[in-house]
Amino acid sequence: MARRVDLRHMWYAVTTARHRSMRQAAAMLNVRQATLSRAIHDFEEEIGISLFERSAAGASPTQAGQKFLYEIENILERIDNMVAAARSTRRGDAGRLTIGFSTSLSAGNLRVTLIEFARHFPHVEINAIEGSRARLFLALENGHIDIAIVTGDPPALYKGRTMPLWTERVIIALPEVHPLAFHEIVQWTDLKGEKLLISHHQPIQEIQDILISKLASSEDLPNLVLQDVSRGDIQNLVAVGFGVSLMCEAAVVHCPGVAYREARDGAGPTRVVYTGSWQDTNGNPVLKNFIKLLEERFPPLPSSAAEKHGK
């Protein structure tokens, strides 16, 4: 069985090799020279190799010792790096953060927040998962994501933490030849009878809730058509005249053939609130740093703004 090597002896030997002097090495390590000399002698006994040729001029590595000490120095450097990485992970300066979202990464507050977080924590790996609100909350409860950033309130049975973040205007995407595209603004009541295209990635229930709250009766509701495509492809379908669509302003990627107008009623533009949700039991230090950044960037919304999320 191989003997267990004392790391302290390894440091002593490497430091002596660097200075080629036990006296200077002892001073650097803040130990007595006799203590250092005895430790190196014990180390040589343990490994069965004479590491140094001792003389009045100092301590020079032997031929066998040169290669051995070179390998030891590499090992100690790796240990230093592992310790630094472990401490960094404990502080949340490194590690992994998985974010579920139902907005857009091409523009808006989420993109800016991720850029700022990456600047402060360059050694954190960010994983992003796009999905519906129901899918993301299920992933949150199962521990597959650290935080969900979505519109609207969490499910009724959700028991984790939630904080409001920012609001975005609701935008109507129309074929540029559509009669409503020639208006500066579009009222919700103008959507009566329209074919409204919705991606499965969008918060379908919240869209329905907004429509019901903005229109006088169910007879005024547009015809909702669910499409199993991305939000970008929804805009392409709008461009070729298959219908109109709703989106938050950060998700607007100007598509040829599409006109974009604010959705308004008598109170002005309609806005939706984005929230961040996470589990109290999640001990990921990176998540704590991300939440701290969200709290700094998005202080609590005024009650009036929080109430304007489609009601």
Side-chain angles (χ1 to χ4, degrees), residues 31 49 53 104 113 130 162 164 173 179 204 225 231 242 260 274 287 299 305:
V31 297
I49 298 173
E53 293 179 354
S104 172
T113 300
E130 183 179 13
T162 296
I204 300 169
V225 179
R231 284 175 294 194
F242 282 17
Y260 302 92
Y274 277 86
L287 174 62

Side-chain angles (χ1 to χ4, degrees), residues 97 280 282-293 295:
L97 181 70
D280 269 331
N282 189 329
N284 185 354
V286 177
L287 174 62
K288 291 180 172 60
N289 287 336
F290 188 69
I291 293 170
K292 182 179 179 181
L293 176 62
E295 290 172 340

Side-chain angles (χ1 to χ4, degrees), residues 124-162:
V124 170
E125 177 186 346
I126 299 290
N127 292 335
I129 298 176
E130 183 179 13
S132 66
R133 185 167 55 179
R135 177 193 170 201
L136 293 178
F137 274 98
L138 180 61
L140 193 64
E141 292 176 0
N142 292 336
H144 296 155
I145 63 175
D146 293 301
I147 186 169
I149 296 180
V150 298
T151 57
D153 298 323
L157 298 179
Y158 175 68
K159 299 185 182 303
R161 297 282 301 279
T162 296

Side-chain angles (χ1 to χ4, degrees), residues 8 17 27 36 49 58 115 126 137 141 152 175 197 201 208:
R8 182 186 53 178
L36 175 69
I49 298 173
I115 290 173
I126 299 290
F137 274 98
E141 292 176 0
L197 307 179
H201 287 302
Q208 291 177 323

Side-chain angles (χ1 to χ4, degrees), residues 111 114 165 176 202 224 239 254 272 307:
R111 181 176 185 272
L114 291 179
L165 299 174
E176 62 180 6
Q202 293 176 283
L224 270 62
H254 288 276
V272 294
E307 291 169 358

